[in-house]
Amino acid sequence: KWKDIDFISVAKGPGSFTGTRIGITAARTIAQQLKIPLFSISTLAAFAWFHANNKLFEDFIAIQMEASRGQVYGAVYKKKSKGNGLITVIDDTVMELDKWKKVLEDLNLSCEPLIVTSEIGVTTCSILELAEFEWEQGKRPHFSESKPFYGYSSIPK
């Protein structure tokens, strides 16, 4: 029942422009009407969390996703040492592939970045889990704080 829902989580992107926009709008509308928190979770963070138990990732988890115009979306996360969830080392960004490779090189990562595939739907439970970790920490984001991430505002000059 609607009254049994404590919070909503939604993928904020990066992703398809239309899908991200519709998802955020629908989630914001429901959260507003039910007067409940809305957690908007990075698609890249969800992908990282989905793979976080892989033994290859002792320290950092770098995520890379193809963007338009020869660019890539990228982010780097680290598993929390206490509790559940991720620490953002490098927030979601979009840049030229050679610049992204330089960023990763400067971090001296011990493994290659994970490449987000078209099978991104497998991270649905990860989106909910990451939101639940924030809920358990007492966070209660207002629906108006949820905005889609398209990456265009993050392009380095």
Side-chain angles (χ1 to χ4, degrees), residues 44-64:
L44 302 179
F47 197 77
W49 185 248
F50 183 78
H51 293 281
N53 289 325
N54 186 325
K55 299 288 184 224
L56 293 174
F57 305 107
E58 297 295 325
D59 201 14
F60 296 108
I61 306 171
I63 306 295
Q64 179 178 316

Side-chain angles (χ1 to χ4, degrees), residues 35-53:
K35 297 177 176 60
I36 58 175
L38 173 58
F39 294 90
S40 51
I41 305 296
S42 161
T43 304
L44 302 179
F47 197 77
W49 185 248
F50 183 78
H51 293 281
N53 289 325

Side-chain angles (χ1 to χ4, degrees), residues 45-111:
F47 197 77
W49 185 248
F50 183 78
H51 293 281
N53 289 325
N54 186 325
K55 299 288 184 224
L56 293 174
F57 305 107
E58 297 295 325
D59 201 14
F60 296 108
I61 306 171
I63 306 295
Q64 179 178 316
M65 180 177 167
E66 187 176 327
S68 60
R69 294 176 246 145
Q71 298 177 317
V72 295
Y73 295 108
V76 178
Y77 301 94
K78 185 176 182 168
K79 292 185 274 188
K80 287 186 177 179
S81 58
K82 293 182 180 178
N84 287 314
L86 299 169
I87 297 168
T88 302
V89 177
I90 297 177
D91 209 356
D92 293 11
T93 189
V94 64
M95 63 180 69
E96 302 295 326
L97 181 58
D98 58 337
K99 287 184 182 180
W100 174 241
K101 286 182 177 180
K102 175 73 170 119
V103 167
L104 296 177
E105 187 179 298
D106 290 347
L107 279 176
N108 198 24
L109 298 179
S110 60
C111 61

Side-chain angles (χ1 to χ4, degrees), residues 9-24:
S9 61
V10 65
K12 69 177 178 178
S16 82
F17 179 85
T18 303
T20 301
R21 189 136 186 103
I22 289 170
I24 292 280

Side-chain angles (χ1 to χ4, degrees), residues 16 19-20 23 26-27 31 56 58 60 75 78 93 97 117-118 125 129 131 134-135 141 143 146 152-153 156:
S16 82
T20 301
L56 293 174
E58 297 295 325
F60 296 108
K78 185 176 182 168
T93 189
L97 181 58
T117 64
S118 60
C125 290
E129 288 172 3
E134 291 187 29
W135 169 266
F143 75 89
S146 290
Y152 304 117
S153 61

